[in-house]
Structures are given as C-alpha cells and as structure tokens.
Amino acid sequence: MNTQRLPLKGIRVIDYSHFLAGPFMGRCLAALGAEVIKVERPKEGDAGRAHPYFKDGQSGYFLQQNVGKQGLCIDLRDKRGLELMLKLVETADVFIENYRPGALERLGLGYKALSERNPRLVYCSVSAYGHTGPYADRPGFGLIAEAMSGAMAQLGNPGEAPPLLRMPLADMYTGIHGVAAINAALVGRTSSGHGQHIDLALYDCMVSMHDFAVQRYFLSGGTDVPKQTGSGQPDSTVYGVFPARDGNLVIAAQVDDAWKRLATLIGGNALASDERFAKPASRNAHYADAMEIVRNWTLSQPSRDACLAALEDAGVPSAPVQTIAEVVKDPQIHARGMLVEQEHPVLGKVTLPNLPFHFSDCDTTVRTPAPLLGQDNRRIAASLGFSTEQVDEMVRDGVLYNEAAV
C-alpha cells in the first residue's frame, strides 16, 4: 500500500535542457514527485524531438526522457518571453540546463543572475567538460566524453577500432549524478537557506566511473594501462562472453568457489584440481587455456538454454546475452514493473522503460506522457499572473508557440 506522498512533492523544477542528460535528470525528478516544467524554443523545441524513432511525427526518444513533465514553449529573444521565464524562475526550486558554458549568461539566465532573483534556487548545469578548465568552451556529446575518458579504449578486439557503447552511458550516468546532487543541495538548503550552482561534466562523470583502470595505472607507477581484450577479462578469469550453438551467454566464475563449481561441471575432479587454475593469479596466467576449455564446453552443448540450465544447477553465475525482443518479454522485467504503458494524445498507447526506483511506501511510476510542444503554455502563463489578453497577444506574436496537436 502506498501511504506516503512522493518524496519531491512540492518542488518545482524548470527543465531548460535538451537531448539526454538534462531531460533524463528532469524525468527522474518528476518520477520522484517534483513538478517539472519543460521549457522549449518555438517551432523546433528540444532537439531530442528530431531524434528517431518516429511514429506519426512524434519522437519516441523525446517521449521516453520527458514523461511526467509540463510543456512551455517560449521565445526568450522577445522581452515578453524572457519576462515570463524570469517570473517562472522566481517560483522555482531547481533549474536544469545543458548548454555550452556562457550561453545562458548572455541571455540573462546564468546562475548569478537567477540566484539574485531567487537565492534559494538550485541551479544544475551539465556540459561536456564543465565550466572550468582549458576545455570548458569545447562542445561535446556523450560520445566525446566516452572516447576521452579511456573507457572506449578498453573495448573491442585488439588492433581493431573500439566499438560504440550503443547505450548513452555518459549522459545517463551524468543525469543520475545530477539527481543525487540536486537532492543533496535541496537538503542543504533547509539549513543554509540558499541554493547553489552544481557544475556537472560528462567527462568528469565518465572518469569517475573507472573502478580499476586509474588506480591500476598509478599503483603500477604508470606502467600498466588496460588494453582491449575482446569478450573476456584476463584480469578476472573466467569472466566473459561465450558462444553457444544458438546464441551467446556470459559466465562470471572469477572467484575460487565459482570456478571450482564450473570446473567440476565441465571437466570433473581433474579440472577442478588442476593447479594451473587453482587460484586467481594462476588462472590469469593461464587465461587463454581456461577460456578455450570453457568455450569448447559451451559449444558442445545442444543449445544456449542447455548451457544455462547446467550452469544454474551447478551454482555458477551466468546469463543469456539477450536481445531487446527477449528483454521486453522477460518475466523478471514485468515482475519489477520495468515497462510502463501510457496514453499519448497522438499515438494512443505507448510502452516505455520505467525508472528503477522502488520505494516501500510510494509508487514512482509516471503515468502522464511527455508534453506536446507548448502543451501547457496558457495555464502556466496564467498562473504567473499574465492576463488572458497578454497571453493571446504572445500567442499571436509567436512568443508562445504550440504544435498543431495541442
């Protein structure tokens, strides 16, 4: 039973961001109960609206990252649009932006200007390299941060160009760091009475994710740099991807107990007692031999499911390498509520990935879809004290804009 209100109920967020890191941050805050107002520019809106996959002119990419938000579309180059935005800021608790450093200062929407109007404002900036340092003025996307961070250099087969990650790791990781930092700043505000500026960089967040490579480099005196290792991990034997006759699977048997169970399964006592594989260091020293033994076993089984059944019975951690078609049918995903259905005014029923928040006393599943461009213009403007005549004038002059479906 849900007995508590959502944790961020009563918090107002202005989401003046585009594409992914900022919108994902806003989506998370909306799921946690905040009132999130998505502010976009006329005609085009958030650049994410032009990103596939499209259906009936609507972007699924935009839909996913902007669920649960209200939509305000204003021309900030017009003094009336800027006045509306500044009045909105005075009512807000949080302001999210992900423009190149300096861009919003020129509009009069930088942290210094807005905090003078609203000292309690928590202002969160996301950029490729942050607001300080020699790269601060450089443009960038998640791909840039992933390449710069050293993460990409470790991927793929030796001698080949590293593959793309195919999931927006830098953007999503930075977005969730933003959620944590914003909530911390809101807690801090209760005692200080003041908000503050949070400066998040995609590059910083990617570097912070290294669990092994950076400390390995320094502890080795700069001599040990992780390299491409394909589908395995030579520092953790056996830990990697293996082929079966009809698919692929992963096996995580790098710790002694798991290795012994795996060795007994595929080679009996002889393999389980083989001194070459007795300890992590010796397994790593004979990495190629260990991987070949396991690979030969997986390929000798009648199917991927047969491999997985045998591994599960033996207590060896393993899993199939699932396609998206398999993921969305997975009973575990359905049991955890990780797919959410919404009614969209143009598309009808849409299904999107849910956020992984599970609270004991409240439900964070957002049921309202992403806003159409300019969907809530009139209501928001009226709530800020603009008269019907003023709103009509701004609509007529294009200061307030909405797509035809509104």
Side-chain angles (χ1 to χ4, degrees):
M1 180 180 294
N2 299 315
T3 59
Q4 293 187 28
R5 71 177 194 171
L6 290 165
L8 294 183
K9 188 75 171 176
I11 296 295
R12 170 172 276 188
V13 178
I14 299 173
D15 178 0
Y16 189 45
S17 65
H18 54 281
F19 265 124
L20 189 49
F24 176 68
M25 200 184 302
R27 178 193 176 181
C28 291
L29 296 173
L32 294 172
E35 177 196 15
V36 181
I37 299 174
K38 174 82 175 181
V39 180
E40 301 178 77
R41 59 187 178 182
K43 301 290 180 71
E44 296 86 4
D46 179 344
R49 288 186 184 270
H51 194 292
Y53 186 81
F54 297 108
K55 183 179 180 183
D56 297 338
Q58 300 291 319
S59 163
Y61 187 92
F62 180 86
L63 292 184
Q64 180 172 330
Q65 304 309 332
N66 293 281
V67 299
K69 302 177 186 179
Q70 301 168 34
L72 176 64
C73 185
I74 52 176
D75 185 353
L76 294 174
R77 296 169 299 180
D78 187 292
K79 64 180 183 181
R80 293 167 292 176
L82 184 59
E83 179 191 3
L84 192 156
M85 178 67 131
L86 293 175
K87 283 189 174 183
L88 184 61
V89 166
E90 291 172 358
T91 70
D93 300 283
V94 178
F95 188 95
I96 298 169
E97 61 91 10
N98 62 348
Y99 290 85
R100 199 186 302 190
L104 293 195
E105 278 78 3
R106 292 188 287 273
L107 273 175
L109 296 174
Y111 172 66
K112 186 175 184 298
L114 296 192
S115 65
E116 287 174 357
R117 284 181 167 270
N118 181 355
R120 290 175 58 79
L121 187 68
V122 174
Y123 188 112
C124 185
S125 297
V126 178
S127 59
Y129 297 103
H131 283 228
T132 59
Y135 301 165
D137 292 334
R138 293 184 184 179
F141 292 89
L143 175 66
I144 306 300
E146 288 155 12
M148 290 285 290
S149 70
M152 190 176 288
Q154 301 178 64
L155 302 178
N157 296 312
E160 297 179 3
L164 297 179
L165 296 176
R166 297 297 301 276
M167 292 182 76
L169 196 61
D171 284 289
M172 302 297 263
Y173 196 58
T174 303
I176 205 64
H177 270 303
V179 174
I182 286 169
N183 278 290
L186 288 172
V187 171
R189 189 181 71 171
T190 61
S191 57
S192 71
H194 295 280
Q196 56 184 305
H197 185 207
I198 299 164
D199 175 11
L200 281 173
L202 302 177
Y203 187 21
D204 293 349
C205 290
M206 283 300 300
V207 171
S208 77
M209 192 181 288
H210 283 295
D211 66 326
F212 182 58
V214 173
Q215 39 94 349
R216 170 182 180 168
Y217 175 82
F218 282 110
L219 291 175
S220 70
T223 62
D224 202 338
V225 179
K227 299 177 178 62
Q228 293 172 299
T229 61
S231 58
Q233 174 53 276
D235 296 308
S236 298
T237 311
V238 170
Y239 189 90
V241 185
F242 296 89
R245 291 187 180 185
D246 58 350
N248 297 293
L249 65 149
V250 295
I251 298 174
Q254 76 280 24
V255 296
D256 289 345
D257 288 347
W259 163 255
K260 288 178 182 177
R261 291 192 291 270
L262 175 61
T264 301
L265 170 66
I266 66 179
N269 290 333
L271 183 57
S273 60
D274 191 323
E275 287 300 317
R276 293 177 299 166
F277 311 119
K279 292 296 178 184
S282 59
R283 283 197 296 279
N284 292 344
H286 297 90
Y287 168 78
D289 292 339
M291 293 294 283
E292 183 178 8
I293 290 169
V294 178
R295 189 177 297 111
N296 288 340
W297 177 80
T298 59
L299 286 170
S300 72
Q301 303 304 299
S303 66
R304 183 184 71 175
D305 288 347
C307 292
L308 293 167
L311 290 164
E312 184 175 357
D313 287 345
V316 178
S318 60
V321 177
Q322 296 196 130
T323 66
I324 292 299
E326 290 173 311
V327 172
V328 298
K329 296 173 185 174
D330 192 326
Q332 180 68 16
I333 290 299
H334 287 271
R336 297 286 291 174
M338 284 307 299
L339 296 174
V340 58
E341 289 187 347
Q342 297 182 331
E343 284 295 328
H344 188 271
V346 174
L347 302 179
K349 184 178 292 185
V350 294
T351 303
L352 301 170
N354 204 351
L355 293 170
F357 304 141
H358 296 279
F359 287 74
S360 62
D361 288 329
C362 56
D363 181 5
T364 60
T365 300
V366 177
R367 302 293 178 184
T368 55
L372 298 171
L373 187 58
Q375 177 176 299
D376 301 289
N377 287 347
R378 288 184 174 275
R379 187 188 55 76
I380 293 172
S383 74
L384 296 173
F386 289 88
S387 68
T388 301
E389 292 75 16
Q390 288 174 309
V391 173
D392 288 342
E393 180 184 79
M394 287 191 284
V395 171
R396 185 192 67 225
D397 295 345
V399 179
L400 289 173
Y401 174 84
N402 59 264
E403 64 178 287
V406 174

